[in-house]
Amino acid sequence: MLIRTHQDGFIHPLSSDITPPDAYATRRQLLRQWSAGAAAAGLAGWSQREAFAQGTSAASKLAALPALPATQSSLQGAMTVEKLTSLRDATTYNNYYEFGTEKSYPALQAHTLKTSPWSIEVEGLVKKPTRFNLEDVMKWGAMQERIYRLRCVEGWSMVIPWIGYSLSDLIKHVEPLPSAKYVEFVTQADPQTMPGIRGGYLDWPYTEGLRMDEAMHPLTLLTFGMYGEVLPKQNGAPVRLVVPWKYGFKSGKSIVKIRFVEKQPVVSWAKAAPQEYGFYSNVNPSVDHPRWSQASERRIGEGGLLDKKRKTQMFNGYEAQVGSLYAGMDLVKNF
Ligand code: MTE
């Protein structure tokens, strides 16, 4: 997002690290069969995930994930008929700066992220601030598959079948106080397991935030899986946010804390470059980034760099669902 540097010392992928597509497909099939048992036992697969992932090469971690059962969502706007981005693209072209600033680094380096045990601390203006085990949090809503577009502020997009439940279910469960006007999300920042933290690229931990009505909107997804399985580490395991009408950086990965606050929080990218990244960051083709246009986008996996781009849609195509949240607001000022 900001200017890239190569002084962070991250490794580059070796061709020997990339699993050949055939071997990859076979392994996935085997894993699906293996994980069917875990899926039948509800969330039992979750605890096995970490153990199963150990001892394999970085690239093969893409395949080492148990299934996460979910029903299909009937929520308006939660499904798109567009072609899905391939699992391979969605798991090897990532932004996760805690694992490096190149798109290929997270798939190669995120295997060090320890996702079990995992807890989420709920704090601030809430009835009973408490730390919850992830396994408990996973039971607070009905797991649904939702096919959302993810539009990155850098000008590319993907279509991904996510699994999770509306963040509003968690919010109702923890009972925020009436004075809570915003929700802040704090993500994992462990210098032992996240090499990017040592690079000092951002003021860690990576934080994001939403206004309460945005957080309560049914489309806002607390996400535990994708493509029928639990989240790969490079995509933000074990729990991330997906806010489909906002630029991708609003969707914080590997969340460890949810804080209810009265004032609009100063979030990571807005702190790093306030003139470039606003708090709202709604996808808006008519409000350009100071250094590039936002009118069009390149769908990952579709054509080459020189092919015609797609037109970016207002609110990433979710205007009918979320436009009313911003009625009367100046979206140029509140970018
Ligand atoms: N969350 C954390 N903790 N760290 C990050 O660097 N990058 C953001 C967002 N969440 C990021 C993050 C950006 S810029 C984007 S576009 C999306 O994650 C990318 O999600 P994906 O890699 O699953 O496509």
Side-chain angles (χ1 to χ4, degrees), residues 274-312:
Q275 69 288 358
E276 301 197 6
Y277 308 109
F279 177 79
Y280 283 95
S281 289
N282 292 315
V283 174
N284 189 338
S286 56
V287 176
D288 289 340
H289 183 279
R291 288 187 279 133
W292 59 82
S293 161
Q294 292 292 20
S296 63
E297 66 201 53
R298 185 169 67 89
R299 180 65 51 84
I300 299 298
E302 204 178 69
L305 273 175
L306 300 176
D307 278 308
K308 207 166 169 280
K309 291 177 160 186
R310 287 172 172 257
K311 277 192 173 157
T312 289

mmCIF file of all heavy atoms in Angstrom, residues 274-312:
data_model
loop_
_atom_site.group_PDB
_atom_site.id
_atom_site.type_symbol
_atom_site.label_atom_id
_atom_site.label_comp_id
_atom_site.label_asym_id
_atom_site.label_seq_id
_atom_site.Cartn_x
_atom_site.Cartn_y
_atom_site.Cartn_z
ATOM 1 N N PRO A 274 -2.356 9.545 6.720
ATOM 2 C CA PRO A 274 -3.739 10.054 6.834
ATOM 3 C C PRO A 274 -4.271 10.696 5.567
ATOM 4 O O PRO A 274 -5.477 10.670 5.321
ATOM 5 C CB PRO A 274 -3.643 11.069 7.984
ATOM 6 C CG PRO A 274 -2.201 11.312 8.223
ATOM 7 C CD PRO A 274 -1.433 10.147 7.680
ATOM 8 N N GLN A 275 -3.395 11.235 4.744
ATOM 9 C CA GLN A 275 -3.855 11.872 3.497
ATOM 10 C C GLN A 275 -4.244 10.830 2.451
ATOM 11 O O GLN A 275 -4.906 11.133 1.467
ATOM 12 C CB GLN A 275 -2.792 12.858 2.966
ATOM 13 C CG GLN A 275 -1.503 12.245 2.440
ATOM 14 C CD GLN A 275 -0.578 11.664 3.525
ATOM 15 O OE1 GLN A 275 -0.853 11.723 4.733
ATOM 16 N NE2 GLN A 275 0.527 11.058 3.101
ATOM 17 N N GLU A 276 -3.850 9.584 2.648
ATOM 18 C CA GLU A 276 -4.107 8.535 1.650
ATOM 19 C C GLU A 276 -5.187 7.542 2.066
ATOM 20 O O GLU A 276 -5.894 6.996 1.228
ATOM 21 C CB GLU A 276 -2.814 7.762 1.360
ATOM 22 C CG GLU A 276 -1.707 8.668 0.843
ATOM 23 C CD GLU A 276 -0.574 7.911 0.171
ATOM 24 O OE1 GLU A 276 -0.687 6.690 -0.003
ATOM 25 O OE2 GLU A 276 0.423 8.565 -0.169
ATOM 26 N N TYR A 277 -5.287 7.290 3.362
ATOM 27 C CA TYR A 277 -6.209 6.246 3.824
ATOM 28 C C TYR A 277 -7.098 6.800 4.927
ATOM 29 O O TYR A 277 -6.630 7.086 6.031
ATOM 30 C CB TYR A 277 -5.424 5.031 4.339
ATOM 31 C CG TYR A 277 -4.413 4.545 3.322
ATOM 32 C CD1 TYR A 277 -3.048 4.722 3.520
ATOM 33 C CD2 TYR A 277 -4.840 3.963 2.131
ATOM 34 C CE1 TYR A 277 -2.131 4.312 2.572
ATOM 35 C CE2 TYR A 277 -3.928 3.549 1.171
ATOM 36 C CZ TYR A 277 -2.571 3.721 1.404
ATOM 37 O OH TYR A 277 -1.673 3.321 0.457
ATOM 38 N N GLY A 278 -8.388 6.934 4.602
ATOM 39 C CA GLY A 278 -9.317 7.497 5.580
ATOM 40 C C GLY A 278 -9.902 6.421 6.474
ATOM 41 O O GLY A 278 -9.689 5.228 6.256
ATOM 42 N N PHE A 279 -10.673 6.847 7.452
ATOM 43 C CA PHE A 279 -11.311 5.883 8.362
ATOM 44 C C PHE A 279 -12.384 5.086 7.625
ATOM 45 O O PHE A 279 -12.511 3.882 7.799
ATOM 46 C CB PHE A 279 -11.932 6.611 9.558
ATOM 47 C CG PHE A 279 -12.663 5.676 10.492
ATOM 48 C CD1 PHE A 279 -11.962 4.905 11.414
ATOM 49 C CD2 PHE A 279 -14.047 5.538 10.427
ATOM 50 C CE1 PHE A 279 -12.626 4.017 12.250
ATOM 51 C CE2 PHE A 279 -14.718 4.654 11.261
ATOM 52 C CZ PHE A 279 -14.002 3.901 12.182
ATOM 53 N N TYR A 280 -13.170 5.757 6.765
ATOM 54 C CA TYR A 280 -14.302 5.055 6.142
ATOM 55 C C TYR A 280 -13.846 4.091 5.057
ATOM 56 O O TYR A 280 -14.240 2.931 5.045
ATOM 57 C CB TYR A 280 -15.333 6.061 5.615
ATOM 58 C CG TYR A 280 -16.147 6.613 6.762
ATOM 59 C CD1 TYR A 280 -15.817 7.817 7.380
ATOM 60 C CD2 TYR A 280 -17.219 5.888 7.263
ATOM 61 C CE1 TYR A 280 -16.528 8.293 8.460
ATOM 62 C CE2 TYR A 280 -17.949 6.356 8.349
ATOM 63 C CZ TYR A 280 -17.596 7.555 8.945
ATOM 64 O OH TYR A 280 -18.301 8.014 10.021
ATOM 65 N N SER A 281 -13.031 4.594 4.142
ATOM 66 C CA SER A 281 -12.486 3.731 3.075
ATOM 67 C C SER A 281 -13.543 2.881 2.382
ATOM 68 O O SER A 281 -13.333 1.692 2.128
ATOM 69 C CB SER A 281 -11.361 2.860 3.630
ATOM 70 O OG SER A 281 -10.248 3.664 3.893
ATOM 71 N N ASN A 282 -14.684 3.496 2.109
ATOM 72 C CA ASN A 282 -15.691 2.804 1.305
ATOM 73 C C ASN A 282 -15.212 2.765 -0.141
ATOM 74 O O ASN A 282 -14.660 3.751 -0.635
ATOM 75 C CB ASN A 282 -17.018 3.569 1.359
ATOM 76 C CG ASN A 282 -17.638 3.520 2.737
ATOM 77 O OD1 ASN A 282 -17.688 2.463 3.363
ATOM 78 N ND2 ASN A 282 -18.102 4.665 3.225
ATOM 79 N N VAL A 283 -15.416 1.655 -0.812
ATOM 80 C CA VAL A 283 -15.019 1.568 -2.217
ATOM 81 C C VAL A 283 -15.821 2.614 -2.993
ATOM 82 O O VAL A 283 -17.058 2.645 -2.922
ATOM 83 C CB VAL A 283 -15.279 0.152 -2.779
ATOM 84 C CG1 VAL A 283 -15.008 0.110 -4.280
ATOM 85 C CG2 VAL A 283 -14.419 -0.881 -2.038
ATOM 86 N N ASN A 284 -15.102 3.504 -3.678
ATOM 87 C CA ASN A 284 -15.774 4.608 -4.365
ATOM 88 C C ASN A 284 -14.995 4.963 -5.633
ATOM 89 O O ASN A 284 -13.919 5.555 -5.555
ATOM 90 C CB ASN A 284 -15.858 5.811 -3.413
ATOM 91 C CG ASN A 284 -16.736 6.913 -3.960
ATOM 92 O OD1 ASN A 284 -16.970 6.992 -5.170
ATOM 93 N ND2 ASN A 284 -17.230 7.768 -3.077
ATOM 94 N N PRO A 285 -15.553 4.586 -6.807
ATOM 95 C CA PRO A 285 -14.806 4.812 -8.055
ATOM 96 C C PRO A 285 -14.582 6.286 -8.370
ATOM 97 O O PRO A 285 -13.704 6.618 -9.163
ATOM 98 C CB PRO A 285 -15.698 4.158 -9.122
ATOM 99 C CG PRO A 285 -17.060 4.067 -8.508
ATOM 100 C CD PRO A 285 -16.859 3.941 -7.029
ATOM 101 N N SER A 286 -15.360 7.184 -7.747
ATOM 102 C CA SER A 286 -15.184 8.596 -8.089
ATOM 103 C C SER A 286 -14.323 9.357 -7.084
ATOM 104 O O SER A 286 -14.137 10.562 -7.223
ATOM 105 C CB SER A 286 -16.550 9.268 -8.269
ATOM 106 O OG SER A 286 -17.312 9.087 -7.107
ATOM 107 N N VAL A 287 -13.823 8.672 -6.069
ATOM 108 C CA VAL A 287 -12.873 9.331 -5.158
ATOM 109 C C VAL A 287 -11.519 8.631 -5.321
ATOM 110 O O VAL A 287 -11.331 7.505 -4.867
ATOM 111 C CB VAL A 287 -13.350 9.276 -3.683
ATOM 112 C CG1 VAL A 287 -12.304 9.879 -2.758
ATOM 113 C CG2 VAL A 287 -14.678 10.008 -3.524
ATOM 114 N N ASP A 288 -10.616 9.310 -6.009
ATOM 115 C CA ASP A 288 -9.316 8.694 -6.285
ATOM 116 C C ASP A 288 -8.407 8.675 -5.070
ATOM 117 O O ASP A 288 -8.517 9.527 -4.183
ATOM 118 C CB ASP A 288 -8.610 9.459 -7.417
ATOM 119 C CG ASP A 288 -9.293 9.222 -8.753
ATOM 120 O OD1 ASP A 288 -10.035 8.218 -8.869
ATOM 121 O OD2 ASP A 288 -9.080 10.043 -9.666
ATOM 122 N N HIS A 289 -7.537 7.703 -5.041
ATOM 123 C CA HIS A 289 -6.419 7.717 -4.099
ATOM 124 C C HIS A 289 -5.489 8.830 -4.594
ATOM 125 O O HIS A 289 -5.404 9.063 -5.801
ATOM 126 C CB HIS A 289 -5.731 6.340 -4.153
ATOM 127 C CG HIS A 289 -4.614 6.200 -3.179
ATOM 128 N ND1 HIS A 289 -3.347 6.692 -3.418
ATOM 129 C CD2 HIS A 289 -4.563 5.629 -1.957
ATOM 130 C CE1 HIS A 289 -2.582 6.427 -2.379
ATOM 131 N NE2 HIS A 289 -3.300 5.775 -1.477
ATOM 132 N N PRO A 290 -4.807 9.566 -3.695
ATOM 133 C CA PRO A 290 -3.964 10.673 -4.178
ATOM 134 C C PRO A 290 -2.937 10.252 -5.222
ATOM 135 O O PRO A 290 -2.501 11.073 -6.021
ATOM 136 C CB PRO A 290 -3.264 11.160 -2.909
ATOM 137 C CG PRO A 290 -4.009 10.602 -1.767
ATOM 138 C CD PRO A 290 -4.825 9.437 -2.243
ATOM 139 N N ARG A 291 -2.578 8.954 -5.244
ATOM 140 C CA ARG A 291 -1.536 8.547 -6.199
ATOM 141 C C ARG A 291 -2.051 7.704 -7.365
ATOM 142 O O ARG A 291 -1.282 7.333 -8.228
ATOM 143 C CB ARG A 291 -0.416 7.804 -5.458
ATOM 144 C CG ARG A 291 0.431 8.716 -4.592
ATOM 145 C CD ARG A 291 1.631 8.013 -3.999
ATOM 146 N NE ARG A 291 1.287 7.239 -2.819
ATOM 147 C CZ ARG A 291 1.675 5.994 -2.617
ATOM 148 N NH1 ARG A 291 2.390 5.377 -3.521
ATOM 149 N NH2 ARG A 291 1.344 5.364 -1.503
ATOM 150 N N TRP A 292 -3.335 7.333 -7.361
ATOM 151 C CA TRP A 292 -3.879 6.571 -8.503
ATOM 152 C C TRP A 292 -5.404 6.663 -8.526
ATOM 153 O O TRP A 292 -6.034 7.005 -7.519
ATOM 154 C CB TRP A 292 -3.411 5.103 -8.451
ATOM 155 C CG TRP A 292 -3.797 4.346 -7.210
ATOM 156 C CD1 TRP A 292 -4.998 3.749 -6.973
ATOM 157 C CD2 TRP A 292 -2.985 4.093 -6.054
ATOM 158 N NE1 TRP A 292 -4.985 3.150 -5.730
ATOM 159 C CE2 TRP A 292 -3.756 3.341 -5.154
ATOM 160 C CE3 TRP A 292 -1.676 4.440 -5.685
ATOM 161 C CZ2 TRP A 292 -3.280 2.917 -3.910
ATOM 162 C CZ3 TRP A 292 -1.198 4.015 -4.445
ATOM 163 C CH2 TRP A 292 -1.998 3.269 -3.574
ATOM 164 N N SER A 293 -5.954 6.309 -9.688
ATOM 165 C CA SER A 293 -7.410 6.334 -9.855
ATOM 166 C C SER A 293 -8.026 5.104 -9.182
ATOM 167 O O SER A 293 -7.400 4.058 -9.097
ATOM 168 C CB SER A 293 -7.725 6.326 -11.353
ATOM 169 O OG SER A 293 -9.056 5.910 -11.557
ATOM 170 N N GLN A 294 -9.253 5.236 -8.741
ATOM 171 C CA GLN A 294 -9.974 4.070 -8.198
ATOM 172 C C GLN A 294 -11.128 3.681 -9.119
ATOM 173 O O GLN A 294 -11.996 2.897 -8.739
ATOM 174 C CB GLN A 294 -10.526 4.367 -6.787
ATOM 175 C CG GLN A 294 -9.471 4.541 -5.706
ATOM 176 C CD GLN A 294 -8.723 3.253 -5.373
ATOM 177 O OE1 GLN A 294 -8.695 2.299 -6.146
ATOM 178 N NE2 GLN A 294 -8.087 3.225 -4.203
ATOM 179 N N ALA A 295 -11.140 4.224 -10.354
ATOM 180 C CA ALA A 295 -12.281 4.001 -11.249
ATOM 181 C C ALA A 295 -12.353 2.575 -11.768
ATOM 182 O O ALA A 295 -13.420 2.099 -12.145
ATOM 183 C CB ALA A 295 -12.211 4.994 -12.406
ATOM 184 N N SER A 296 -11.226 1.885 -11.831
ATOM 185 C CA SER A 296 -11.247 0.528 -12.375
ATOM 186 C C SER A 296 -10.370 -0.387 -11.537
ATOM 187 O O SER A 296 -9.633 0.063 -10.665
ATOM 188 C CB SER A 296 -10.781 0.538 -13.831
ATOM 189 O OG SER A 296 -9.443 0.980 -13.887
ATOM 190 N N GLU A 297 -10.485 -1.676 -11.836
ATOM 191 C CA GLU A 297 -9.741 -2.667 -11.045
ATOM 192 C C GLU A 297 -9.385 -3.868 -11.909
ATOM 193 O O GLU A 297 -10.021 -4.128 -12.933
ATOM 194 C CB GLU A 297 -10.578 -3.121 -9.842
ATOM 195 C CG GLU A 297 -11.827 -3.896 -10.247
ATOM 196 C CD GLU A 297 -12.903 -3.925 -9.173
ATOM 197 O OE1 GLU A 297 -13.291 -2.842 -8.682
ATOM 198 O OE2 GLU A 297 -13.357 -5.034 -8.838
ATOM 199 N N ARG A 298 -8.404 -4.589 -11.486
ATOM 200 C CA ARG A 298 -7.993 -5.814 -12.175
ATOM 201 C C ARG A 298 -8.436 -6.998 -11.331
ATOM 202 O O ARG A 298 -8.090 -7.087 -10.150
ATOM 203 C CB ARG A 298 -6.466 -5.808 -12.316
ATOM 204 C CG ARG A 298 -5.904 -6.957 -13.128
ATOM 205 C CD ARG A 298 -4.434 -6.692 -13.437
ATOM 206 N NE ARG A 298 -3.608 -6.731 -12.241
ATOM 207 C CZ ARG A 298 -3.025 -7.827 -11.757
ATOM 208 N NH1 ARG A 298 -3.202 -8.987 -12.366
ATOM 209 N NH2 ARG A 298 -2.274 -7.769 -10.677
ATOM 210 N N ARG A 299 -9.259 -7.855 -11.917
ATOM 211 C CA ARG A 299 -9.710 -9.049 -11.193
ATOM 212 C C ARG A 299 -8.599 -10.093 -11.245
ATOM 213 O O ARG A 299 -8.167 -10.479 -12.332
ATOM 214 C CB ARG A 299 -11.001 -9.567 -11.846
ATOM 215 C CG ARG A 299 -11.647 -10.794 -11.254
ATOM 216 C CD ARG A 299 -12.173 -10.612 -9.848
ATOM 217 N NE ARG A 299 -13.042 -9.491 -9.566
ATOM 218 C CZ ARG A 299 -14.367 -9.464 -9.777
ATOM 219 N NH1 ARG A 299 -14.982 -10.507 -10.276
ATOM 220 N NH2 ARG A 299 -15.083 -8.402 -9.464
ATOM 221 N N ILE A 300 -8.094 -10.492 -10.101
ATOM 222 C CA ILE A 300 -6.984 -11.447 -10.068
ATOM 223 C C ILE A 300 -7.398 -12.755 -10.755
ATOM 224 O O ILE A 300 -8.474 -13.286 -10.494
ATOM 225 C CB ILE A 300 -6.535 -11.719 -8.615
ATOM 226 C CG1 ILE A 300 -6.038 -10.433 -7.951
ATOM 227 C CG2 ILE A 300 -5.462 -12.805 -8.545
ATOM 228 C CD1 ILE A 300 -4.833 -9.785 -8.581
ATOM 229 N N GLY A 301 -6.542 -13.238 -11.651
ATOM 230 C CA GLY A 301 -6.822 -14.473 -12.367
ATOM 231 C C GLY A 301 -7.516 -14.245 -13.695
ATOM 232 O O GLY A 301 -7.749 -15.166 -14.456
ATOM 233 N N GLU A 302 -7.853 -12.991 -13.975
ATOM 234 C CA GLU A 302 -8.607 -12.669 -15.186
ATOM 235 C C GLU A 302 -7.705 -11.879 -16.123
ATOM 236 O O GLU A 302 -7.377 -10.726 -15.839
ATOM 237 C CB GLU A 302 -9.788 -11.791 -14.780
ATOM 238 C CG GLU A 302 -10.949 -11.816 -15.720
ATOM 239 C CD GLU A 302 -12.071 -10.943 -15.157
ATOM 240 O OE1 GLU A 302 -11.930 -9.707 -15.111
ATOM 241 O OE2 GLU A 302 -13.094 -11.507 -14.752
ATOM 242 N N GLY A 303 -7.253 -12.500 -17.196
ATOM 243 C CA GLY A 303 -6.432 -11.787 -18.170
ATOM 244 C C GLY A 303 -5.089 -11.368 -17.614
ATOM 245 O O GLY A 303 -4.722 -11.707 -16.489
ATOM 246 N N GLY A 304 -4.357 -10.627 -18.396
ATOM 247 C CA GLY A 304 -3.024 -10.202 -17.979
ATOM 248 C C GLY A 304 -3.010 -8.749 -17.565
ATOM 249 O O GLY A 304 -4.048 -8.083 -17.576
ATOM 250 N N LEU A 305 -1.838 -8.278 -17.241
ATOM 251 C CA LEU A 305 -1.675 -6.905 -16.768
ATOM 252 C C LEU A 305 -2.134 -5.875 -17.814
ATOM 253 O O LEU A 305 -2.579 -4.790 -17.459
ATOM 254 C CB LEU A 305 -0.206 -6.655 -16.434
ATOM 255 C CG LEU A 305 0.231 -7.026 -15.011
ATOM 256 C CD1 LEU A 305 1.733 -6.835 -14.865
ATOM 257 C CD2 LEU A 305 -0.506 -6.191 -13.968
ATOM 258 N N LEU A 306 -2.017 -6.243 -19.102
ATOM 259 C CA LEU A 306 -2.357 -5.288 -20.151
ATOM 260 C C LEU A 306 -3.815 -5.389 -20.593
ATOM 261 O O LEU A 306 -4.292 -4.605 -21.404
ATOM 262 C CB LEU A 306 -1.423 -5.480 -21.352
ATOM 263 C CG LEU A 306 0.066 -5.275 -21.037
ATOM 264 C CD1 LEU A 306 0.936 -5.577 -22.244
ATOM 265 C CD2 LEU A 306 0.324 -3.837 -20.571
ATOM 266 N N ASP A 307 -4.557 -6.389 -20.076
ATOM 267 C CA ASP A 307 -5.958 -6.550 -20.461
ATOM 268 C C ASP A 307 -6.820 -5.427 -19.897
ATOM 269 O O ASP A 307 -6.454 -4.769 -18.929
ATOM 270 C CB ASP A 307 -6.491 -7.897 -19.967
ATOM 271 C CG ASP A 307 -6.099 -9.019 -20.907
ATOM 272 O OD1 ASP A 307 -6.355 -8.884 -22.103
ATOM 273 O OD2 ASP A 307 -5.511 -10.000 -20.426
ATOM 274 N N LYS A 308 -7.995 -5.275 -20.522
ATOM 275 C CA LYS A 308 -8.935 -4.232 -20.089
ATOM 276 C C LYS A 308 -9.340 -4.500 -18.637
ATOM 277 O O LYS A 308 -9.602 -5.644 -18.270
ATOM 278 C CB LYS A 308 -10.163 -4.289 -20.994
ATOM 279 C CG LYS A 308 -10.876 -2.985 -21.109
ATOM 280 C CD LYS A 308 -11.866 -3.016 -22.287
ATOM 281 C CE LYS A 308 -12.768 -1.827 -22.236
ATOM 282 N NZ LYS A 308 -13.868 -1.955 -21.294
ATOM 283 N N LYS A 309 -9.404 -3.462 -17.858
ATOM 284 C CA LYS A 309 -9.792 -3.635 -16.461
ATOM 285 C C LYS A 309 -11.310 -3.565 -16.318
ATOM 286 O O LYS A 309 -12.001 -3.117 -17.226
ATOM 287 C CB LYS A 309 -9.153 -2.532 -15.628
ATOM 288 C CG LYS A 309 -7.636 -2.661 -15.498
ATOM 289 C CD LYS A 309 -7.149 -1.470 -14.726
ATOM 290 C CE LYS A 309 -5.801 -1.663 -14.116
ATOM 291 N NZ LYS A 309 -5.467 -0.515 -13.257
ATOM 292 N N ARG A 310 -11.813 -3.973 -15.169
ATOM 293 C CA ARG A 310 -13.247 -3.828 -14.861
ATOM 294 C C ARG A 310 -13.504 -2.464 -14.252
ATOM 295 O O ARG A 310 -12.641 -1.930 -13.562
ATOM 296 C CB ARG A 310 -13.634 -4.829 -13.767
ATOM 297 C CG ARG A 310 -13.697 -6.213 -14.206
ATOM 298 C CD ARG A 310 -13.896 -7.107 -13.001
ATOM 299 N NE ARG A 310 -14.135 -8.442 -13.481
ATOM 300 C CZ ARG A 310 -15.336 -9.012 -13.529
ATOM 301 N NH1 ARG A 310 -16.392 -8.402 -13.044
ATOM 302 N NH2 ARG A 310 -15.482 -10.213 -14.023
ATOM 303 N N LYS A 311 -14.742 -2.000 -14.436
ATOM 304 C CA LYS A 311 -15.125 -0.748 -13.765
ATOM 305 C C LYS A 311 -15.389 -1.052 -12.307
ATOM 306 O O LYS A 311 -16.092 -2.027 -12.006
ATOM 307 C CB LYS A 311 -16.399 -0.191 -14.393
ATOM 308 C CG LYS A 311 -16.138 0.598 -15.636
ATOM 309 C CD LYS A 311 -17.387 1.360 -16.042
ATOM 310 C CE LYS A 311 -17.055 2.271 -17.202
ATOM 311 N NZ LYS A 311 -18.197 2.632 -17.987
ATOM 312 N N THR A 312 -14.877 -0.245 -11.442
ATOM 313 C CA THR A 312 -15.162 -0.424 -10.014
ATOM 314 C C THR A 312 -16.573 0.079 -9.725
ATOM 315 O O THR A 312 -17.003 1.096 -10.257
ATOM 316 C CB THR A 312 -14.119 0.338 -9.172
ATOM 317 O OG1 THR A 312 -12.880 -0.363 -9.292
ATOM 318 C CG2 THR A 312 -14.502 0.438 -7.708
#
